[in-house]
Amino acid sequence: MFEILNKQIVTQDIKRIDIYAPDIAKKVEPGQFVRVSPEEGDEHIPLSVVDWDRKKGTISFIFQEIGQTTGKLGSLPINEPIFSVLGPLGFASKIEKKGTVVCIATGIGTAQILPICRAYQKSGNKVIGIIGAKTKKNLLLEAQMRIACNKVFIATQDGTYERKGLATDVLKDLVHKKEVDFVYAIGSIEMMKEVCRLTQDNNIPTRVQLKPIMVDCLGMCGSCRVKVDNKIVFACVEGPEFDGHKVDFDDFIRRMKGFEESVPCPHKTQFNQQKKESGPLMRFLSGILSD
Ligand code: FES
């Protein structure tokens, strides 16, 4: 079980792994994730399921090796099993016919938004993808996004590829041309906050996937608390997808900064790029950091 069937280097330190997990493949839906421990005793890492094949019983994830555990996962050889894969976790995305749907992503969020783009396209929507990256060499999964979307725009901050600027600059143009019925965003907190500001001003419904620090991924440790609609919710069991206009992004930013400042930690992990890999102290703090 959980045998690694294939491994692929996507770019630099980002890898794709396909594993045999028939029970998960049978049930997983777009937007859900799994909790992975490469070897016995390792910490758990939450990874979005980016692809699956129900007939073959396989699931795939794409992750960045930015910590000890993700590094270990990336170094496991083909044909070896992963010790533990639990899921699918979280609620599936609400996929509906909306019209023109813009899926905007930055960083590893581009991998996580792929199944969302496919699902909206399959449901009869026109899907416009926007990918943002610092520079051309950081750009992820352009070819896959072009297959999953009707049209793709790319923005690089240094102008080394396609449009110079931010992904949100492209969104701004589309919104002003009144070409957008619905927006879905996954990426840095700042990007999602700006997306929601833009769409709220223009009355465009927006969903976001939040990736706070997760430790147990089961709703028991309290580390993934976020404020949505003025209530504290746990992203692992009540998300990770939320109405972007109801998310308190300032509180989210404050909480993530609190983690960074409280525990300077050289190890980072994948679920979002802000997350620090959680040692015992982090696990303890994750339970006590509050508003
Ligand atoms: Fe959500 Fe622990 S990770 S409560």
Side-chain angles (χ1 to χ4, degrees):
M1 195 63 97
F2 309 138
E3 182 188 347
I4 298 176
L5 303 174
N6 202 12
K7 268 174 77 174
Q8 203 186 331
I9 297 171
V10 177
T11 174
Q12 293 171 330
D13 53 355
I14 294 181
K15 287 190 177 152
R16 173 184 168 127
I17 287 186
D18 304 335
I19 65 162
Y20 184 62
D23 291 344
I24 299 174
K26 228 184 278 170
K27 290 183 243 158
V28 68
E29 296 291 341
Q32 292 187 295
F33 65 99
V34 288
R35 190 186 83 169
V36 176
S37 302
E39 291 177 355
E40 193 168 5
D42 283 343
E43 289 176 322
H44 309 304
I45 41 175
L47 295 177
S48 298
V49 182
V50 300
D51 207 357
W52 53 90
D53 186 322
R54 299 201 202 281
K55 276 196 197 137
K56 291 184 185 159
T58 60
I59 62 167
S60 311
F61 20 83
I62 294 173
F63 59 98
Q64 190 166 17
E65 292 179 301
I66 46 173
Q68 212 177 3
T69 313
T70 45
K72 194 189 267 189
L73 181 65
S75 64
L76 289 178
I78 291 177
N79 296 331
E80 282 295 308
I82 291 175
F83 171 68
S84 156
V85 182
L86 181 70
L89 301 173
F91 283 110
S93 294
K94 266 193 197 166
I95 307 290
E96 294 166 337
K97 183 98 190 264
K98 301 280 187 187
T100 299
V101 175
V102 171
C103 291
I104 178 168
T106 52
I108 198 74
T110 313
Q112 295 158 352
I113 213 163
L114 265 175
I116 307 293
C117 298
R118 289 189 201 112
Y120 275 109
Q121 202 186 42
K122 205 171 155 194
S123 301
N125 295 284
K126 177 184 175 187
V127 180
I128 298 178
I130 305 176
I131 319 173
K134 269 195 186 133
T135 183
K136 187 180 178 186
K137 73 175 190 329
N138 298 132
L139 193 66
L140 285 184
L141 303 163
E142 179 188 350
Q144 290 85 341
M145 281 292 280
R146 290 202 186 275
I147 293 169
C149 303
N150 299 79
K151 196 174 175 55
V152 172
F153 293 97
I154 292 165
T156 49
Q157 286 177 34
D158 62 359
T160 43
Y161 190 51
E162 303 259 335
R163 176 174 171 159
K164 184 174 181 179
L166 301 172
T168 47
D169 297 337
V170 181
L171 178 65
K172 205 181 295 171
D173 288 352
L174 295 175
V175 166
H176 288 160
K177 284 185 200 156
K178 308 223 174 300
E179 288 180 2
V180 185
D181 297 308
F182 183 80
V183 174
Y184 200 106
I186 312 180
S188 70
I189 308 174
E190 290 75 14
M191 182 277 270
M192 292 190 289
K193 182 182 172 188
E194 175 60 11
V195 164
C196 292
R197 192 195 59 75
L198 258 172
T199 55
Q200 195 152 25
D201 288 351
N202 291 276
N203 288 323
I204 301 169
T206 301
R207 307 286 290 175
V208 293
Q209 263 189 41
L210 300 185
K211 315 291 184 183
I213 289 172
M214 290 190 187
V215 178
D216 70 352
C217 307
L218 297 174
M220 291 187 286
C221 70
S223 65
C224 66
R225 285 190 302 269
V226 285
K227 207 186 263 181
V228 180
D229 205 12
N230 273 322
K231 290 185 213 100
I232 296 294
V233 296
F234 291 172
C236 65
V237 288
E238 294 170 83
E241 179 183 306
F242 295 99
D243 178 342
H245 296 161
K246 293 186 174 163
V247 173
D248 186 335
F249 284 103
D250 293 331
D251 180 76
F252 191 15
I253 290 168
R254 202 157 42 83
R255 186 177 296 279
M256 296 304 287
K257 276 196 183 139
F259 271 108
E260 281 165 20
E261 283 159 17
S262 303
V263 188
C265 171
H267 307 299
K268 292 179 179 175
T269 188
Q270 186 269 336
F271 201 38
N272 69 4
Q273 289 174 354
Q274 293 83 31
K275 180 180 172 182
K276 307 279 183 182
E277 211 151 277
S278 51
L281 181 56
M282 279 296 287
R283 287 187 207 169
F284 171 69
L285 281 170
S286 66
I288 60 165
L289 275 179
S290 59
D291 303 0

